[in-house]
Amino acid sequence: MVCPSSLRRGAHVVVRGGVPMIDIQRIREDPEAVKEAIATLGAEAPIDEIVNLDLKRRKLLQELEGLRQGKNETSERIGRMEPGDERQGLIDSMSGVNARIKALESALRGNEDALQRAMYEVPNLPDASVPVGADESENVVLREEGRLRKFDFEPLPHWDLGPELGILDFERGVKLSGSRFYILKGAGAKLQRALIQWMLDLHVSDHGYTEIYPPAIVKEQCMWGAGQLPKFADNIYRDVEDDLWLVGTAEIPLTNLHRDEILEAEDLPISYVAYTPCFRREKFSGGRDVRGIKRGHQFDKVEMYKFILPEESYAALEQILEHAAAVCRALEIPYRVVQMVTGDLGFTAAKKYDLELWAPGSEEWLEVSSVSNCEAFQARRTHIRFRREKGAKPEYVHTLNGSGLALPRTLIAVLENYQQADGSVIVPDVLRPYMGGMERIALEN
RNA sequence: GGAGGGAUGGCCGAGUGGACGAAGGCGGCGGUCUUGAAAACCGCUGUAGGGCAACCUACCGGGGGUUCGAAUCCCUCUCCCUCCGCCA
């Protein structure tokens, strides 16, 4: 089943003084439908608590604002009166009202804090087109492109190939920083740099993105805005002294680039591409993927990001997927497109595709891109809106993101797919201009 | 890190306790005039919450306080600028 159609639309209501998540209006109107949708994610959210807090909030507001109105009127009268007994009497009479107002304000503050906390925990709801499924095992492979190369020798995994070529060093990485760190060296480091430069150039010149160099360390607020907090706190590196957080993806600074702005409709879509290092503690990956460089605490990524009109966001999702696929095609490496089911959507996406490159040595499909439509989820959290025309009410934009692509994994795919019987690696045609014309990585390099 | 200065609406900039959601200007929108445009003149021109109609409430960097009443007074935080130190 898909999420009820009543959940797909809705006015854009913001919690006063706070930041919303999904539209609270949807919860007010049909809390049961929201709960059903969240159940398909395999997630939990305090919907009943939100409904109660929201009711309570409006009750408090009405009483409080009524009292404030009376108070304002009385203060005005006092200001116009000559000094005297009557005036003093009015002033004295205000103290009771003020005490009540203070009490209500305090209650309202507590109520809104609780409401906002609860709202922050609500995940984005799935788009109607997303298949319902419990977890990643039910994800749907939509298509596979490119021919798997036939090897007349046993292709090596990169963790053998790299060290033998002298371009990858695990021991020294561990010496410097511990497990899940490694060193790229010589042509290996250069190959990664070439990939980054080439991908950035491709997205800028062929796909119309504007290149951004953002901070990789951001304020806590940015983490909430992009949807990293509250859920993923344990996976984020943080400088406690200055309360700055290391980004796990460029999606975080890019989302926040237009925080608290009202954009002009004619400026949309805004398309950014950014290269950043990414830092993840990988607290939840346990002993998974410890071999090789597939999952490190630090990696590089080129990320595409779009701010767009709501009615155009789903077409844009397919487009970004194509932009990521274009990288795979140009590298001439087989890839496949996987659609996430509801249970594997994550916290922020309404619909998501993964793009995977085949790695013949490791013998697995490597996730090198994740392409998501977050609809207005991140825009609500960051207050990014647009106006359809002058004087029109601001509406939330939709945001999308997609890796284009994630680095060490793309590097793995290049090494493993282009390896030769003699242990050397052919440099893909598109990268040669970025490698100073180098055609092959061999030991003597 | 040390010393000093500052933060007002899209922008500039007045406002030091009482009718200020905030003068004035610029920009923008609409209108008059004009064959058209410019100029001139007139009007409008923030956001959010609640009612969901009239209307009410909140917001002058953030938070707290004093007061019947605060953009205006006090405390505190953040950010920006200038000078010194340090530095890629």
Side-chain angles (χ1 to χ4, degrees), chain A residues 93-127:
Chain A
S93 75
M94 294 300 285
S95 70
V97 178
N98 273 336
R100 180 69 186 146
I101 285 177
K102 271 208 166 119
L104 283 171
E105 281 174 343
S106 163
L108 183 67
R109 201 165 10 215
N111 169 280
E112 290 189 337
D113 284 353
L115 180 56
Q116 186 175 323
R117 259 199 308 281
M119 285 300 267
Y120 264 125
E121 287 177 30
V122 180
N124 204 355
L125 303 182
D127 179 61

Side-chain angles (χ1 to χ4, degrees), chain A residues 17-291:
Chain A
V19 183
M21 29 44 259
I22 70 165
D23 190 339
I24 196 168
Q25 201 83 307
R26 287 162 88 166
I27 297 177
R28 268 184 207 164
E29 283 167 5
D30 196 348
E32 292 312 314
V34 172
K35 283 190 216 172
E36 275 177 43
I38 290 171
T40 69
L41 302 172
E44 286 178 11
I47 300 302
D48 289 329
E49 185 189 343
I50 288 168
V51 170
N52 290 332
L53 285 167
D54 180 51
L55 272 173
K56 180 90 182 299
R57 171 172 174 268
R58 282 179 288 168
K59 261 213 183 94
L60 287 168
L61 261 183
Q62 282 168 32
E63 192 188 348
L64 175 63
E65 295 191 345
L67 288 176
R68 283 212 270 237
Q69 183 181 354
K71 170 185 157 176
N72 287 344
E73 286 166 358
T74 307
S75 286
E76 255 179 68
R77 278 178 61 203
I78 292 171
R80 276 187 265 107
M81 289 168 81
E82 299 297 321
D85 288 350
E86 196 190 344
R87 184 182 139 112
Q88 193 54 47
L90 268 183
I91 289 175
D92 294 343
S93 75
M94 294 300 285
S95 70
V97 178
N98 273 336
R100 180 69 186 146
I101 285 177
K102 271 208 166 119
L104 283 171
E105 281 174 343
S106 163
L108 183 67
R109 201 165 10 215
N111 169 280
E112 290 189 337
D113 284 353
L115 180 56
Q116 186 175 323
R117 259 199 308 281
M119 285 300 267
Y120 264 125
E121 287 177 30
V122 180
N124 204 355
L125 303 182
D127 179 61
S129 66
V130 175
V132 171
D135 55 48
E136 61 178 14
S137 68
E138 297 184 50
N139 287 342
V140 185
V141 177
L142 293 183
R143 64 173 201 263
E144 217 174 288
E145 281 189 30
R147 252 205 329 264
L148 301 194
R149 181 182 157 197
K150 291 258 188 291
F151 287 86
D152 49 16
F153 60 96
E154 189 69 25
L156 294 175
H158 67 280
W159 54 80
D160 290 332
L161 186 59
E164 280 174 28
L165 270 173
I167 61 173
L168 178 57
D169 182 341
F170 291 105
E171 286 78 8
R172 292 195 176 92
V174 171
K175 177 166 74 180
L176 294 187
S177 305
S179 67
R180 293 194 191 279
F181 287 92
Y182 53 85
I183 307 286
L184 292 176
K185 185 180 167 189
K190 187 164 189 166
L191 181 60
Q192 168 150 294
R193 185 158 51 85
L195 278 163
I196 294 165
Q197 295 235 118
W198 165 67
M199 291 191 287
L200 283 171
D201 286 348
L202 178 73
H203 294 312
V204 168
S205 53
D206 289 15
H207 301 150
Y209 290 80
T210 300
E211 186 174 347
I212 298 287
Y213 170 78
I217 310 177
V218 298
K219 297 179 187 177
E220 178 182 339
Q221 186 183 3
C222 295
M223 292 289 171
W224 288 92
Q228 303 288 312
L229 290 174
K231 272 211 83 166
F232 308 115
D234 290 344
N235 204 31
I236 309 173
Y237 287 105
R238 175 186 174 196
D239 168 35
V240 178
E241 190 138 346
D242 293 324
D243 196 28
L244 288 170
W245 301 60
L246 278 68
V247 303
T249 165
E251 176 192 343
I252 297 163
L254 291 177
T255 301
N256 284 277
L257 216 54
H258 292 294
R259 166 146 48 87
D260 296 323
E261 293 182 24
I262 298 176
L263 308 167
E264 297 301 328
E266 67 215 37
D267 295 334
L268 300 176
I270 296 172
S271 304
Y272 292 135
V273 63
Y275 153 75
T276 63
C278 304
F279 304 94
R280 300 185 185 180
R281 298 178 68 207
E282 300 295 355
K283 277 293 167 200
F284 299 116
S285 52
R288 269 193 295 146
D289 307 323
V290 285
R291 270 202 116 173

